């Protein structure tokens, strides 16, 4: 069993933003081609703890280097007030030869970067040479959105950011200066200022229920609705909607799920990003109408990055290999069967 920790994962991924973008794009294409298996994620919730949850995302990603596994990610929003990260995650990868678990990888960086890359791919599809972008909700996710938008959109030179916590916003701006040194990051006085400044906006708050319409955005804005629960039903229905997977995103009381419940259907979803990346959706943007990208977050994206991390770790000798984690041939393994003495056989039969 190979174990790769947080710092090692970060070091392996740093400096490879272009590769991450392509890995995520390839995973989307494979998913659109039907070369994945993606059961609905499992939400573990707790009595009297509505905000906290742990989500299991099992997945299989096909292609030339098929991989299977599961991400187990906890979201405890209250952590932020104590100076720790809202989300923590790990990924188990299983061998496609015999199904045995072969790698255990810390996944908070993987989860954040695949989300940022996903949003940046959508931004690249719907914006043309943007000068700047607005970001609302300033945690690790929007930092990665900014990172990958800068990598995907070389014209990006400015960002106006807002958070309910002014100190958090200022700390975000300072950190962003080292993550995306070519982008000038300024703190907005209010959310309306961040929403209206540019034609590209990213929402990544921890809101559990819709609270925002899009009236503050430009009429032709591209909105990266990463948080999934910020927008009102009216805002969703008034926009052209792009998702990663319609069946996945219309559940768990996301803004799109609420829109489905309101309308009784999913006709408001215009296209899925995998089809757009393959060039086969037939989607056309309507002038003067906002586009909203709402990615549920597919486990196949996590597997694509985790597989890459696992392979790089093997080449560079990174991580810890634990021998004897799994049963195997040798003196310590229990035999698959044994010859019992007659009394033992009789006792076992009686117990059954």
């Amino acid at each position: 069993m190979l174990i790769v920790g947080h710092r090692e994962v970060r070091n392996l991924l740093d400096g490879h933003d272009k590769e991450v973008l392509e890995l995520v794009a390839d995973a989307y294409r494979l998913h659109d081609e039907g070369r994945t298996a993606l059961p609905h994620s499992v939400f573990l919730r707790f009595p009297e703890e509505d905000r906290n949850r742990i989500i299991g995302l099992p997945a299989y990603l096909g292609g030339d280097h098929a991989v299977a596994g599961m991400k187990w990610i906890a979201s405890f929003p209250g952590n932020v007030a104590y100076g720790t990260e809202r989300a923590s995650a790990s990924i188990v990868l299983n061998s496609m030869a015999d199904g045995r678990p072969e790698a255990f990888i810390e996944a908070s960086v993987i989860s954040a970067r695949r989300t940022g890359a996903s949003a940046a791919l959508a931004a690249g599809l719907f914006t043309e040479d943007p000068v700047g972008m607005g970001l609302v909700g300033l945690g690790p996710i929007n930092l990665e959105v900014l990172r990958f938008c800068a990598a995907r959109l070389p014209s990006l030179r400015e960002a106006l950011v807002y958070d309910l916590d002014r100190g958090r916003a200022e700390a975000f701006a300072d950190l962003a200066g080292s993550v995306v040194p070519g982008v000038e990051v300024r703190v907005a006085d209010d959310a309306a200022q961040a929403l209206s400044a540019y034609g590209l906006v990213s929402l990544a708050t921890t809101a559990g229920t819709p609270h925002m319409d899009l009236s503050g955005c430009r009429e032709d804005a591209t909105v990266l609705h990463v948080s999934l629960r910020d927008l009102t039903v009216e805002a969703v229905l008034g926009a052209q909607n792009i998702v990663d997977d319609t069946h996945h995103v219309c559940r768990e009381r996301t803004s799109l799920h609420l829109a489905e419940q309101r309308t009784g259907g999913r006709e408001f979803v215009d296209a899925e990003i995998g089809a757009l990346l393959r060039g086969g959706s037939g989607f056309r943007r309507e002038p003067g109408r906002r586009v909203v990208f709402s990615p549920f977050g597919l486990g196949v994206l996590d597997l694509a990055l985790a597989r890459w991390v696992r392979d790089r770790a093997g080449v560079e000798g990174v991580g810890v290999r634990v021998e004897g984690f799994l049963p195997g041939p040798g003196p310590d393994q229990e035999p698959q069967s044994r010859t019992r003495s007659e009394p033992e056989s009789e006792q076992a039969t009686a117990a059954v």
Side-chain angles (χ1 to χ4, degrees):
M1 170 68 78
L2 172 66
I3 300 177
V4 188
H6 172 80
R7 184 176 300 177
E8 295 158 327
V9 172
R10 182 179 295 278
N11 290 341
L12 288 168
L13 288 172
D14 279 350
H16 295 280
D17 296 346
K18 298 289 188 181
E19 290 94 327
V20 170
L21 283 164
E22 193 53 41
L23 286 168
V24 171
D26 283 345
Y28 274 143
R29 295 186 191 103
L30 287 168
H31 183 58
D32 190 66
E33 292 169 7
R35 301 174 69 186
T36 65
L38 197 63
H40 276 160
S41 49
V42 176
F43 281 67
L44 175 62
R45 301 185 185 277
F46 311 100
E48 301 178 2
E49 290 287 348
D50 292 342
R51 294 184 69 198
N52 299 334
R53 62 185 186 270
I54 306 178
I55 310 170
L57 290 83
Y60 162 77
L61 179 63
D64 295 335
H65 306 284
V67 62
M70 180 169 179
K71 181 173 77 170
W72 186 240
I73 180 167
S75 175
F76 280 56
N79 288 354
V80 175
Y82 298 100
T84 56
E85 301 292 346
R86 174 187 63 85
S88 58
S90 56
I91 292 175
V92 174
L93 296 182
N94 293 75
S95 166
M96 291 303 301
D98 58 16
R100 291 155 68 91
E102 57 185 12
F104 186 72
I105 301 171
E106 199 282 330
S108 62
V109 177
I110 288 174
S111 188
R113 294 201 182 179
R114 63 83 153 151
T115 302
S118 168
L121 289 170
L125 289 170
F126 303 117
T127 59
E128 186 175 349
D129 299 328
V131 173
M133 68 181 301
L135 300 103
V136 177
L138 304 179
I141 297 300
N142 249 346
L143 183 64
E144 297 301 337
V145 170
L146 181 58
R147 176 203 300 275
F148 284 99
C149 281
R152 178 67 181 80
L153 304 165
S155 63
L156 195 69
R157 290 290 179 267
E158 303 170 6
L160 191 60
V161 303
Y162 175 76
D163 194 276
L164 290 173
D165 184 333
R166 176 80 184 192
R168 184 176 174 84
E170 291 173 349
F172 179 96
D174 289 341
L175 179 57
S178 61
V179 173
V180 284
V183 178
E184 180 188 2
V185 181
R186 296 176 291 115
V187 177
D189 295 327
D190 52 37
Q193 188 181 12
L195 292 172
S196 63
Y198 304 103
L200 177 61
V201 174
S202 178
L203 308 176
T205 79
T206 58
T209 56
H211 61 97
M212 182 186 297
D213 61 27
L214 293 176
S215 60
C217 297
R218 297 183 181 184
E219 289 186 354
D220 60 348
T222 295
V223 179
L224 309 174
H225 184 211
V226 180
S227 44
L228 288 179
R229 295 172 178 84
D230 277 314
L231 298 183
T232 62
V233 169
E234 291 75 16
V236 170
L237 297 179
Q240 290 183 280
N241 291 283
I242 310 301
V243 301
D244 50 4
D245 185 292
T246 306
H247 299 297
H248 284 261
V249 78
C250 289
R251 58 192 297 259
E252 292 296 330
R253 298 192 64 78
T254 65
S255 294
L256 282 80
H257 186 199
L258 298 179
E260 179 191 24
Q261 292 178 326
R262 171 84 63 86
T263 63
R266 299 173 177 177
E267 292 78 10
F268 57 85
V269 176
D270 293 273
E272 295 183 349
I273 191 171
L276 290 170
L277 290 169
R278 294 180 63 214
S281 75
F283 173 80
R284 294 292 182 269
R285 181 159 192 177
E286 299 178 16
R289 195 174 177 199
R290 301 178 184 99
V291 166
V292 173
F293 175 57
S294 300
F296 192 72
L298 305 182
V300 291
L301 309 184
D302 299 289
L303 292 193
L305 268 63
R307 176 188 61 196
W308 189 88
V309 166
R310 178 201 64 193
D311 294 346
R312 290 262 310 185
V315 170
E316 298 187 17
V318 170
V320 176
R321 291 199 173 273
V322 178
E323 303 298 333
F325 180 82
L326 297 169
D332 294 333
Q333 181 187 20
E334 288 188 16
Q336 294 299 311
S337 62
R338 60 182 178 143
T339 303
R340 293 173 172 163
S341 63
E342 188 63 22
E344 289 176 329
S345 298
E346 291 174 356
Q347 184 177 8
T349 300
V352 173

